[in-house]
Structure formats: C-alpha cells, structure tokens
Amino acid sequence: MATRKNAKPKPVPCPDCKGRGEVPTTVLVGRKRRAVGKQSGFCLNCLGTGEASADGE
C-alpha cells in the first residue's frame, strides 16, 4: 500500500488586506493635500502575497 501524502495547511490570510494583497490608498492633490479619491496600493504587511506574515504580527 502506498503511503499517504500530507496536505499542506491552508495559509492564513493577511488581516490588513484580507488576502487580496492590495489596500485602498487615498490620493492627495495640491498644496493643501486635498483628498480627491482612492486607488489600490500594495499591502505593506504581507508584501502583496495575501498571506499573514510568519513573525506573528
């Protein structure tokens, strides 16, 4: 009988971006830094992977 392969555990999604790898970032314009909209930005917590970091933060 062949030995069973163990399935890899499912990675935990990043709490900041919820597993997407992107977070909304406000776009600021002008000298008074007026907010004009939002754009998607790179998640700095998981570095765009969507998985929670292994260091426990």
Side-chain angles (χ1 to χ4, degrees), residues 10-19 43-57:
K10 199 171 191 178
V12 179
C14 175
D16 290 341
C17 65
K18 304 196 180 31
C43 178
L44 297 177
N45 190 31
C46 66
L47 300 175
T49 61
E51 298 174 3
S53 60
D55 60 1
E57 288 186 38

Side-chain angles (χ1 to χ4, degrees), residues 15-52:
D16 290 341
C17 65
K18 304 196 180 31
R20 293 185 326 227
E22 295 180 348
V23 291
T25 306
T26 305
V27 178
L28 303 173
V29 188
R31 212 168 86 192
K32 294 182 181 179
R33 308 295 290 168
R34 185 182 62 229
V36 294
K38 295 221 179 229
Q39 68 182 17
S40 65
F42 193 64
C43 178
L44 297 177
N45 190 31
C46 66
L47 300 175
T49 61
E51 298 174 3

Side-chain angles (χ1 to χ4, degrees), residues 4-10:
R4 278 192 178 182
K5 293 183 180 179
N6 292 334
K8 292 183 180 180
K10 199 171 191 178

